[in-house]
Amino acid sequence: NNNNDEELKQLIAEGATLVDVRTADEFASGSVKGALNIPVDRIALQHSKLNKEKTIIVFCRSGNRSAQAKVLLSQKGFKKVVNGGTWKDINSLM
């Protein structure tokens, strides 16, 4: 995770879209308040739910799937995607 916490906090405060890319079951067992759940294997199909103009912070359990999601979204023309790492990290910044 190459973003520092202060930067992430700032983006969250500015209203970044939070996207949990874990499975629906993982999401149901706990996530970040206000986060959308779009599992990484659905990102290519469901990216239209997201606003290209807004900063999007993707996160998962370890940071691997969110790194994948960032690449997939970039391929769809999203320029402001940040890999937030783990959902627990993001939760601790809320």
Side-chain angles (χ1 to χ4, degrees), residues 31-68:
S31 186
V32 178
K33 188 174 187 292
L36 289 170
N37 179 214
I38 306 179
V40 69
D41 59 358
R42 314 283 304 161
I43 281 271
L45 295 169
Q46 298 189 7
H47 67 89
S48 58
K49 290 182 177 177
L50 303 170
N51 181 345
K52 284 193 166 112
E53 303 308 310
K54 286 185 78 167
T55 298
I56 297 164
I57 300 174
V58 288
F59 54 89
C60 60
R61 186 182 56 78
S62 66
N64 287 339
R65 282 175 284 180
S66 50
Q68 268 180 286

Side-chain angles (χ1 to χ4, degrees), residues 2 6-8 10-12 14-15 17 19 28 33 39-40 43 51 61 69 71 78-79 81-82 87 91:
N2 54 9
E6 285 310 308
E7 187 188 344
L8 283 170
Q10 179 71 33
L11 293 171
I12 292 167
E14 289 168 0
T17 303
V19 182
K33 188 174 187 292
V40 69
I43 281 271
N51 181 345
R61 186 182 56 78
V71 170
F78 288 81
K79 306 267 185 274
V81 185
V82 177
W87 75 271
N91 221 18

